Amino acid sequence: MFFLFKAYYGYRYDYIPYPVEIKSYQDKLVTYYLNENHSEEKANDLATADVQNFLIKVYIKATTTNMKENERKLKYLRLCGWSLSAVLLAAVMAYLPYFIGLKI
């Protein structure tokens, strides 16, 4: 039971922002670049480049964190499976004398 609970609880995953948040960020960047006297085309290009760099960093961080958490979870799931196998084997071994009618 311990490994089962450890496999499913206590993990902190990273998430990427919602698309609406990304779009809002890009719109704010465009406004910023327009206020800095860039043309609309240049402001859009700069904002797009900034958003792409931001997303690359977010994806790298989230993927790295989530892979580590998933590897930890998998370790506990494996231990849970091995523990369950050991318990089932012990149960079968304990039942065998009764099944074959040995009087111990």
Side-chain angles (χ1 to χ4, degrees), residues 8-47:
Y8 285 103
Y9 301 104
Y11 296 94
R12 302 199 99 151
Y13 289 100
D14 282 342
Y15 299 95
I16 61 171
Y18 290 109
V20 70
E21 294 171 351
I22 297 168
K23 178 66 174 141
S24 174
Y25 177 60
Q26 184 173 13
D27 292 343
K28 289 176 184 175
L29 285 171
V30 169
T31 302
Y32 169 77
Y33 286 122
L34 287 173
N35 290 337
E36 292 292 314
N37 297 323
H38 291 284
S39 68
E40 189 169 337
E41 183 180 346
K42 181 72 172 173
N44 283 322
D45 291 345
L46 290 170

Side-chain angles (χ1 to χ4, degrees), residues 54-72:
F54 167 73
L55 285 176
I56 288 169
K57 290 176 186 174
V58 169
Y59 281 130
I60 289 171
K61 182 179 180 296
T63 302
T64 302
T65 300
N66 294 348
M67 285 180 68
K68 287 178 183 177
E69 290 295 304
N70 286 337
E71 288 170 357
R72 191 167 65 113

Side-chain angles (χ1 to χ4, degrees), residues 96-104:
L96 276 178
Y98 175 77
F99 179 73
I100 60 174
L102 289 178
K103 307 244 189 230
I104 297 178

